[in-house]
Amino acid sequence: MAKEDVPDDRCSALLELQRFNLCQALLSAEHGDYYSPKRVRDMQVAIASVLHTEACQCLKASPYVGLVLDETRYWPESHSLALFATSVSPCDGQPTTTFLGSMKLQEGEATAGQLLGILQAFGISAPKLAWLSSSLPSDRLQSVSLQLRTTCPLLMELHCLPGRADPEPPAYLGEYESILDDLFRLHGGPSFHMVPELRAALDLAAIDLAGPRPVPWASLLPIVEAVAKAWPCLVLTLEAAAPASPTAGALALALCQFTFVAFTHLLLDALPSMQKLALVLQQEEPDLALVQPLVMAATASLQAQRGLGGVHLQHFLQELVLSYPDGGGQHCTYRGLELVGYSEAAVQGLEQLREAFLDSMQRGLQDSYPRPSLDMVAAFAVIFDPLCYPQALEELGAHGEGALQVLLQGFAPLVVCQHALGDFVLFKRMVSSLGRLSPWALCAKLACTHSELHELFPDFATLAALALVLPVGTGLLDKVGRSRGLQWLGQSRAGDTRSGHVVKIAVDGPPLHEFDFALAVEFLESGWGERLLGS
């Protein structure tokens, strides 16, 4: 039920179906008490307890962990925080993401004490906390992160989760996304044939229109590209449907607004550099060497657009055709269709909107990727990417000395600096002799306590473990996305609140064929006997 998103209120119907199918266990009066919605909830508690025990063992064994906070808003006045931990296994050096649970936020705020309490419940001590990532905007996270740093001396911030936004975006951004949401949902309805470009964009961006979560339309490049490409066809289609659909008529008018079309082209200029960065971070093994250059390139691109504007916006403004009919006034057409609301004041308003939007994106970049953390990530890439090592031995000796100094300064309490500096040349030579290892494979070898590399280079093993718990990669994003979907799905269904037990099973539970049901049954039966379950 948890793995397949079956809500708890369907349990009775499923049991009746199995009785109809002559399931002998359900037909036997002797075991009737074992098969009821209440007992199913007990089973969920038992399974989640097994997963919790395993998670505690993993997190206690990991030398360092990262903390990931993901905010879920059900409606404006109700939000909660889902917590995840990134860790690394000393047995095989493999990184793992663990769902810790969720907490309802009172007045939208969380405290460092609450977060540390949850970590302690899993056996995680504050000195092990190395990274903090969050989808919360900076104005709401700042006080918490400052409090955490007082008890977590290693803590670095790197906010790679999608959904983190500037706390003061331009007001028009919400209006623009509302128009796109209405457009896609109208075209996705039963009475409309979706324009092929829109359908292809939805598939490419993996958007489920039936999902309960709001879609961040303005941050999805394929969506914006599809709207720009199909714009004349969309307007004509909506105008043709206007007599039978007031919504279509209103959307046709919204799409013809000068500001809407101009903002679409502004997004076409601003989003590509952000998309490249997102694609790198969404890989199973992100290329850390690309993170800092892509952040810098995105910042430079946004800064350049503050001048004359980007290429797409410039072309749009150049393609506008102005006319002055005999009746007076000014008409503006683009790609054969008349734009509404064009005027000198509208052009000045566009300039102000462009400046506010680019400022907002730049603040978001600086907030998500603080300079100290970017320097650390770049240094990890230099030290642990053998594919970038020089081939010549005489060049290998000096390679990465500056990067190592950055890591040694940042994590001075954990390493013996003189040992690391003295071992560095030998470390690089031995790594080069191992063949073409990826950075993540090398870090896994170092973090594994049974490997020769771990024994020979303990300081580099420490640094490798810190790299492996970075809050990046598709494994983390998949679990965060799964949790988001379940939390929203639960709130959209009457009578199903999606308890933490269900979310824990769905997010962290292994495939059914790998799950240790014998252990779950043992825990379940002992809990029933001692009346520990069911509350």
Side-chain angles (χ1 to χ4, degrees):
M1 289 174 67
K3 298 297 271 187
E4 300 298 329
D5 296 344
V6 179
D8 289 349
D9 57 10
R10 299 286 177 86
C11 180
S12 296
L14 290 172
L15 291 171
E16 288 301 320
L17 176 64
Q18 290 303 87
R19 287 192 183 92
F20 179 79
N21 288 334
L22 303 181
C23 174
Q24 293 302 309
L26 294 178
L27 294 175
S28 171
E30 179 183 355
H31 300 292
D33 184 49
Y34 282 73
Y35 303 99
S36 68
K38 179 181 181 300
R39 291 309 188 195
V40 168
R41 286 191 291 273
D42 288 345
M43 294 175 193
Q44 291 172 346
V45 173
I47 294 173
S49 298
V50 174
L51 295 174
H52 177 85
T53 301
E54 293 176 347
C56 288
Q57 293 170 349
C58 280
L59 292 169
K60 286 179 181 178
S62 179
Y64 309 104
V65 297
L67 178 62
V68 180
L69 313 176
D70 184 51
E71 183 183 34
T72 303
R73 286 176 176 259
Y74 307 125
W75 44 81
E77 60 275 4
S78 173
H79 15 132
S80 68
L81 207 59
L83 283 73
F84 301 82
T86 55
S87 61
V88 57
S89 168
C91 296
D92 56 12
Q94 294 304 307
T96 305
T97 299
T98 303
F99 175 69
L100 302 182
S102 58
M103 52 187 285
K104 288 189 176 181
L105 299 182
Q106 300 297 327
E107 300 179 357
E109 294 296 333
T111 67
Q114 289 175 300
L115 301 179
L116 291 172
I118 292 175
L119 294 179
Q120 289 171 0
F122 281 83
I124 305 171
S125 60
K128 289 172 59 171
L129 189 57
W131 298 97
L132 175 64
S133 182
S134 172
S135 65
L136 276 74
S138 58
D139 64 328
R140 296 185 42 223
L141 184 69
Q142 186 175 15
S143 62
V144 174
S145 60
L146 288 174
Q147 293 172 41
L148 284 175
R149 285 198 193 97
T150 62
T151 52
C152 308
L154 299 179
L155 195 64
M156 301 287 292
E157 293 190 43
L158 193 68
H159 306 290
C160 301
L161 285 188
R164 186 178 177 86
D166 184 79
E168 298 180 2
Y172 181 73
L173 183 64
E175 181 181 341
Y176 182 85
E177 290 200 321
S178 178
I179 294 171
L180 289 191
D181 193 70
D182 291 342
L183 172 67
F184 277 87
R185 294 188 188 280
L186 176 67
H187 271 274
S191 59
F192 262 83
H193 172 69
M194 182 167 281
V195 175
E197 288 88 349
L198 299 190
R199 169 50 60 194
L202 285 179
D203 293 340
L204 184 60
I207 300 298
D208 178 16
L209 290 175
R213 276 187 66 85
V215 179
W217 298 105
S219 63
L220 302 174
L221 182 59
I223 296 296
V224 179
E225 287 177 333
V227 171
K229 181 179 180 180
W231 181 78
C233 173
L234 284 173
V235 173
L236 294 174
T237 302
L238 291 168
E239 288 179 342
S245 170
T247 303
L251 276 174
L253 183 61
L255 264 63
C256 284
Q257 295 290 326
F258 165 76
T259 304
F260 176 87
V261 184
F263 193 72
T264 299
H265 287 82
L266 173 58
L267 289 174
L268 291 177
D269 289 321
L271 291 181
S273 58
M274 308 295 290
Q275 186 88 354
K276 291 177 183 177
L277 178 60
L279 290 175
V280 166
L281 295 172
Q282 289 168 8
Q283 296 174 8
E284 186 174 354
E285 295 184 354
D287 189 345
L288 298 182
L290 294 177
V291 176
Q292 188 175 52
L294 286 174
V295 171
M296 295 173 64
T299 303
S301 174
L302 295 174
Q303 187 64 36
Q305 292 173 44
R306 293 170 60 91
L308 297 176
V311 174
H312 290 91
L313 183 59
Q314 289 184 48
H315 284 175
F316 162 70
L317 295 174
Q318 292 167 3
E319 290 180 27
L320 296 179
V321 178
L322 302 180
S323 60
Y324 302 88
D326 295 338
Q330 183 184 64
H331 286 194
C332 176
T333 58
Y334 171 68
R335 296 173 71 178
L337 298 178
E338 183 175 350
L339 295 182
V340 180
Y342 177 84
S343 65
E344 290 186 8
V347 174
Q348 293 175 359
L350 173 64
E351 287 299 305
Q352 295 173 355
L353 173 61
R354 179 167 66 88
E355 184 174 345
F357 179 67
L358 294 175
D359 281 346
S360 175
M361 293 194 73
Q362 281 190 283
R363 285 195 299 268
L365 267 178
Q366 293 167 359
D367 183 53
S368 296
Y369 306 97
R371 183 60 186 267
S373 297
L374 276 183
D375 291 341
M376 291 289 184
V377 171
F380 280 128
V382 172
I383 300 300
F384 295 117
D385 190 354
L387 303 179
C388 296
Y389 283 9
Q391 295 297 312
L393 288 178
E394 59 273 16
E395 297 177 9
L396 185 62
H399 174 77
E401 289 181 352
L404 181 59
Q405 288 287 359
V406 170
L407 294 180
L408 294 180
Q409 290 172 11
F411 301 110
L414 307 178
V415 291
V416 182
C417 296
Q418 293 304 317
H419 287 177
L421 291 169
D423 291 343
F424 194 32
V425 174
L426 179 60
F427 169 76
K428 287 179 288 188
R429 288 182 177 177
M430 182 164 286
V431 168
S432 298
S433 70
L434 296 176
R436 300 179 65 81
L437 286 175
S438 72
W440 298 97
L442 173 58
C443 286
K445 280 183 174 292
L446 283 162
C448 177
T449 54
H450 305 298
S451 71
E452 185 180 5
L453 280 179
H454 182 93
E455 295 178 3
L456 290 173
F457 305 107
D459 296 303
F460 291 95
T462 295
L463 296 176
L466 289 164
L468 288 170
V469 298
L470 272 166
V472 296
T474 185
L476 168 64
L477 295 178
D478 286 348
K479 287 200 172 186
V480 170
R482 180 87 166 115
S483 168
R484 285 179 178 178
L486 285 165
Q487 302 272 6
W488 274 89
L489 192 62
Q491 290 298 316
S492 67
R493 286 172 170 162
D496 181 20
T497 58
R498 290 328 240 178
S499 70
H501 303 305
V502 174
V503 178
K504 178 70 176 177
I505 296 168
V507 172
D508 277 349
L512 294 180
H513 67 277
E514 296 180 5
F515 186 75
D516 190 347
F517 278 101
L519 182 59
V521 168
E522 180 182 344
F523 187 93
L524 178 72
E525 291 179 343
S526 64
W528 277 351
E530 299 172 16
R531 300 184 180 276
L532 297 177
L533 303 176
S535 60

